[in-house]
Amino acid sequence: MSTSSAAPDIATRQQRRGFWLRTLHQWHWISSAICLVAMLLFSVTGITLNHSSVIEAKPETLNRKVEMPPSVLKALGKREGGSAPLPATVGGWLNDVLPVAIGGQPAEWSADEVYLSLPRPGGDAWLSIDRATGAVEYERTSRGWVAYLNDLHKGRNAGAAWRWFIDLFAIACLVFCITGLFLLQMHARQRPTTWPYVALGLVLPLLLALLFIH
């Protein structure tokens, strides 16, 4: 092949390489920007979760008791068993008189009581309604900000919106890692230690799992 015919092939390869470099760099920095704050949060809470046994938490408990008006109590109706959300009238009244947000979560109904579990990140809560007297008892326990952030890390009792956020965050992390891998491959020729470091990142956790996790 003559030098004149080889030149266009080299130029074409360089243009193709330049295109992929620009594209990969663009997706890499966009995904890293999307991941940045959440990655910091999940990294820090990974440490706090790993050392949760030595991080002391002092639970704080709030207990409130109120009396439900007869008109609101009547709105509970005749249901005596099963699981169903509270009527809107009852939920609205509870939202007004207690520091609680009654949504559409199901309550446990019996002939004597309606019990509603209200789990939340970093704590727990519950509410009971005496169907004969209208006595309402509400209790909320909070274990502090560290427990709150740890539960966000696990997606515990954080709701559907947070679960969707974790899924989108995970997709952004995949894009960040995959584009980073391709960029490593494209620069590996100029950086001889690239693949040894990648291999170390694979072998080290594998050896730890095989040797120390039983």
Side-chain angles (χ1 to χ4, degrees):
M1 182 180 293
S2 65
T3 304
S4 60
S5 61
D9 291 338
I10 295 174
T12 300
R13 287 197 297 270
Q14 289 177 339
Q15 289 177 354
R16 187 180 299 116
R17 175 183 170 82
F19 167 78
W20 282 111
L21 274 174
R22 289 191 300 273
T23 302
L24 288 170
H25 275 294
Q26 183 177 27
W27 280 100
H28 194 64
W29 78 257
I30 289 174
S31 59
S32 69
I34 293 172
C35 291
L36 177 61
V37 175
M39 184 69 78
L40 289 172
L41 169 66
F42 278 78
S43 298
V44 171
T45 51
I47 296 173
T48 57
L49 280 168
N50 198 38
H51 297 279
S52 58
S53 61
V54 297
I55 299 176
E56 293 186 5
K58 297 181 179 179
E60 296 181 358
T61 300
L62 169 70
N63 188 276
R64 294 278 302 275
K65 295 180 180 179
V66 294
E67 293 290 330
M68 183 175 288
S71 59
V72 179
L73 182 61
K74 186 177 180 180
L76 287 175
K78 302 296 184 180
R79 177 185 291 272
E80 294 187 357
S83 177
L86 294 174
T89 301
V90 177
W93 181 84
L94 291 170
N95 288 337
D96 291 336
V97 300
L98 294 173
V100 64
I102 303 297
Q105 60 267 48
E108 299 173 16
W109 296 68
S110 69
D112 301 320
E113 179 189 55
V114 179
Y115 179 86
L116 182 61
S117 178
L118 298 164
R120 51 197 291 272
D124 203 357
W126 57 268
L127 182 149
S128 69
I129 305 170
D130 187 310
R131 303 188 68 174
T133 65
V136 178
E137 183 174 5
Y138 170 72
E139 184 171 288
R140 184 183 68 195
T141 302
S142 176
R143 299 190 304 274
W145 280 103
V146 173
Y148 177 81
L149 294 175
N150 285 347
D151 282 349
L152 289 184
H153 183 112
K154 296 181 288 186
R156 177 181 178 270
N157 301 322
W162 185 257
R163 288 196 298 272
W164 276 105
F165 167 75
I166 291 178
D167 288 342
L168 293 174
F169 165 69
I171 292 171
C173 287
L174 284 173
V175 173
F176 177 68
C177 293
I178 292 171
T179 53
L181 179 62
F182 279 109
L183 286 170
L184 286 174
Q185 190 274 330
M186 297 185 77
H187 290 296
R189 187 174 298 177
Q190 292 81 31
R191 300 169 183 170
T193 57
T194 295
W195 297 123
Y197 279 128
V198 172
L200 178 64
L202 170 65
V203 172
L204 182 59
L206 182 62
L207 285 176
L208 290 173
L210 291 175
L211 297 175
F212 298 106
I213 301 176
H214 303 287

